[in-house]
């Protein structure tokens, strides 16, 4: 992530801190100073924030280490002023695994709260939540209450909180993943609505959280929809098989003429039947700007591109396509071009699939739409 620094590496996972976190640190320091004009308060406030974020890192490590038990790696953990974000490489497919990964974070807070409670009770320093003050007060008591509130907040049954994932995983044990996500997202949005209404009377900050939760739920539902629609499909079923090709020696004027003649935006470039490049609409336009219409396709085309086999599953190929800087992906079987996979093509496929899905609901038993049968 841009504008973040690598802080450290724990258990093979890089921990980054975002620059805006320093702004938060400065704000906390300043607000502590303005209250009583004492530098000791400033130091205490900053140590407290740093301790708070150490707890957040431990929470994220809880998720990451549980995910590792199921063979899922975590790319990194980024600390933002709103909390920590652990980027897992993928979501576990098994509902039971997702349940354990989601629970592992809040479980860390429960354990930390219990340990702090034991220490405080043994030394008779326990302070009630109502006696807490922003400045001063017992440091360990504050940390204990922070852990209690983090556990409760994260277990709210709403995406993008851990509780939303727990709820989805529990539902997914009994029904399919898409239905489970839809129900979990609806419960999450109902929770957000309650939060938002409460916030209007109590604290405007709650309205902001409610908005964040509402959008998180909607996003989770649409990702699940796309995963469900593409989940069982192979590249051969989604690729376009009717397209024009170019030769590397052709002029850009000819490529432009072919682009204008139809709806195709990205062209595979073939030489002796082999794919040697891809000319996307962007390549064509920048090529025409740089070389004019007399430039050749070979000068403007992209020579580094991803390819796939028709029998590959769509989901991982789509991830590769989105990560590469070429929007079109030639599908090659035994060295020969079999089709093209583009984001627009997949989008079009999903639109038709959704229409067929609506029809299937009214008429169970109707067959699933596919451009081509599975190969
Ligand atoms: Zn979490």
């Amino acid at each position: 992530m841009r504008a973040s620094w690598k802080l450290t590496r724990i258990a093979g996972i890089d921990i980054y801190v975002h620059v805006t976190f320093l702004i938060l640190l400065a704000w906390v320091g300043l607000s502590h100073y303005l209250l009583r004009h004492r530098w000791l308060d400033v130091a205490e406030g900053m140590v407290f924030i740093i301790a708070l974020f150490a707890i957040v890192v431990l929470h994220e490590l809880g998720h990451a280490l549980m995910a590792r038990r199921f063979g899922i790696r975590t790319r990194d953990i980024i600390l933002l002023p709103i909390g920590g974000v652990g980027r897992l490489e993928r979501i576990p497919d098994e509902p039971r695994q997702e349940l354990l990964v989601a629970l592992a974070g809040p479980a860390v807070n429960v354990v930390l709260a219990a340990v702090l409670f034991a220490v405080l009770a043994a030394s008779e320093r326990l302070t009630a939540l109502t006696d807490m003050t922003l400045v001063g007060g017992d440091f360990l008591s504050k940390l204990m209450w922070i852990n209690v509130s983090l556990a409760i907040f994260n277990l709210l049954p709403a995406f993008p909180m851990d509780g939303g994932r727990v709820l989805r995983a529990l539902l997914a044990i009994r029904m399919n993943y898409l239905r489970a996500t839809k129900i979990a997202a609806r419960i999450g949005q109902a929770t957000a609505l309650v939060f938002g209404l409460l916030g209007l009377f109590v604290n405007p900050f709650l309205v902001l959280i409610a908005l964040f939760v509402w959008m998180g739920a909607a996003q989770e539902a649409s990702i699940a929809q796309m995963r469900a629609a593409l989940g069982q499909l192979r590249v051969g079923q989604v690729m376009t098989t009717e397209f024009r090709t170019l030769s590397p020696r052709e002029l850009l004027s000819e490529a432009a003429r072919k682009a204008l003649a139809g709806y195709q935006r990205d062209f595979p470039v073939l030489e002796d039947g082999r794919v040697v490049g891809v000319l996307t609409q962007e390549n064509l336009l920048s090529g025409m700007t740089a070389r004019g219409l007399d430039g050749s396709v070979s000068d403007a085309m992209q020579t580094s591109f991803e390819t796939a086999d028709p029998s590959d599953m769509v989901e991982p190929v789509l991830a590769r396509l989105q990560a590469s800087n070429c929007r079109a992906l030639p599908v090659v079987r035994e060295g020969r071009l079999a089709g093209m996979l583009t984001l627009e093509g997949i989008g079009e496929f999903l639109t038709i699939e959704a229409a067929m899905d609506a029809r299937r609901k009214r008429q169970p038993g109707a067959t699933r739409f596919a451009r081509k049968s599975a190969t």
Side-chain angles (χ1 to χ4, degrees), residues 167-189:
L167 177 64
R168 190 230 328 254
L170 286 173
L171 291 167
I173 292 171
R174 270 168 226 105
M175 60 185 81
N176 77 49
Y177 186 81
L178 181 60
R179 209 172 123 67
T181 305
K182 278 186 177 164
I183 294 176
R186 234 169 267 154
I187 293 175
Q189 289 185 322

Side-chain angles (χ1 to χ4, degrees), residues 244 252-265 267 281 284-285 288 293:
R244 292 179 175 210
L252 290 178
S253 57
E254 184 60 17
R257 204 186 53 74
K258 281 186 182 172
L260 287 172
Y263 293 110
Q264 197 174 335
R265 296 174 59 176
F267 294 84
Q281 193 178 48
L284 176 61
L285 294 175
M288 277 162 52
L293 287 169

Side-chain angles (χ1 to χ4, degrees), residues 96-110:
R96 274 164 225 278
Q97 292 183 0
E98 186 179 22
L99 180 66
L100 290 174
V101 171
L103 282 175
V108 169
N109 298 117
V110 171

Side-chain angles (χ1 to χ4, degrees), residues 246-250 252 255 267-271 274-280 282-288 291 295-305 326:
L246 295 169
S247 124
R249 281 170 305 279
E250 263 177 286
L252 290 178
F267 294 84
V269 184
L270 295 188
E271 187 163 43
R274 264 185 339 107
V275 187
V276 292
V278 174
L279 188 83
T280 64
E282 290 80 32
N283 299 147
L284 176 61
L285 294 175
S286 57
M288 277 162 52
R291 298 183 178 84
S296 70
V297 167
S298 63
D299 292 331
M301 71 185 187
Q302 224 162 307
T303 51
S304 80
F305 51 88
C326 184

Side-chain angles (χ1 to χ4, degrees), residues 76-369:
D76 47 37
I77 293 171
I78 302 167
L79 286 178
L80 301 163
I82 49 156
V85 180
R87 292 196 305 166
L88 266 62
E89 272 189 337
R90 59 186 173 87
I91 303 170
D93 300 319
E94 271 286 306
R96 274 164 225 278
Q97 292 183 0
E98 186 179 22
L99 180 66
L100 290 174
V101 171
L103 282 175
V108 169
N109 298 117
V110 171
V111 170
L112 286 174
V115 170
L116 287 167
F117 179 82
V119 170
L120 289 165
S123 57
E124 290 172 2
R125 276 159 58 197
L126 201 59
T127 324
L129 186 58
T130 43
D131 297 336
M132 285 288 142
T133 49
L134 186 63
V135 179
D138 188 57
F139 191 72
L140 289 185
S141 285
K142 280 208 271 190
L143 285 191
M144 188 200 75
W145 285 116
I146 284 288
N147 275 295
V148 170
S149 21
L150 277 178
I152 294 172
F153 182 68
N154 276 296
L155 285 174
L156 284 176
F159 293 116
M161 255 78 83
D162 297 329
R165 291 177 201 291
V166 170
L167 177 64
R168 190 230 328 254
L170 286 173
L171 291 167
I173 292 171
R174 270 168 226 105
M175 60 185 81
N176 77 49
Y177 186 81
L178 181 60
R179 209 172 123 67
T181 305
K182 278 186 177 164
I183 294 176
R186 234 169 267 154
I187 293 175
Q189 289 185 322
T191 311
L193 205 64
V194 172
F195 252 75
L197 287 175
L198 270 178
L200 287 180
F201 300 106
V202 184
N203 185 342
F205 189 61
L206 279 180
V207 181
L208 212 67
I209 294 178
L211 203 67
F212 171 66
V213 170
W214 183 278
M215 291 190 307
Q219 193 191 7
E220 197 65 36
S222 75
I223 291 173
Q225 186 108 39
M226 183 146 154
R227 277 184 69 187
L230 293 177
Q232 306 304 316
L233 290 169
R234 293 182 190 278
V235 170
Q237 291 171 282
V238 182
M239 68 186 186
T240 42
T241 50
E242 276 177 28
F243 49 86
R244 292 179 175 210
T245 64
L246 295 169
S247 124
R249 281 170 305 279
E250 263 177 286
L251 296 181
L252 290 178
S253 57
E254 184 60 17
R257 204 186 53 74
K258 281 186 182 172
L260 287 172
Y263 293 110
Q264 197 174 335
R265 296 174 59 176
D266 313 301
F267 294 84
V269 184
L270 295 188
E271 187 163 43
D272 304 325
R274 264 185 339 107
V275 187
V276 292
V278 174
L279 188 83
T280 64
Q281 193 178 48
E282 290 80 32
N283 299 147
L284 176 61
L285 294 175
S286 57
M288 277 162 52
T289 314
R291 298 183 178 84
L293 287 169
D294 295 333
S296 70
V297 167
S298 63
D299 292 331
M301 71 185 187
Q302 224 162 307
T303 51
S304 80
F305 51 88
E306 297 278 335
T307 62
D309 189 89
S311 64
D312 290 343
M313 299 305 291
V314 172
E315 246 195 283
V317 174
L318 179 63
R320 273 199 286 139
L321 179 63
Q322 282 169 326
S324 77
N325 52 15
C326 184
R327 318 172 314 141
L329 185 147
V331 182
V332 181
R333 159 151 283 183
E334 285 154 11
R336 303 207 79 81
L337 185 64
M340 288 288 280
L341 196 70
T342 59
L343 292 179
E344 294 93 67
I346 294 171
E348 203 174 73
F349 178 87
L350 290 176
T351 313
I352 295 174
E353 175 76 16
M356 292 301 286
D357 203 41
R359 185 178 147 79
R360 263 199 306 275
K361 269 187 196 137
R362 280 183 280 124
Q363 206 182 332
T367 49
R368 173 161 205 174
F369 169 80

Side-chain angles (χ1 to χ4, degrees), residues 59-60 63 102 105-106 154 162:
H59 173 106
E60 292 303 326
H63 291 304
N154 276 296
D162 297 329

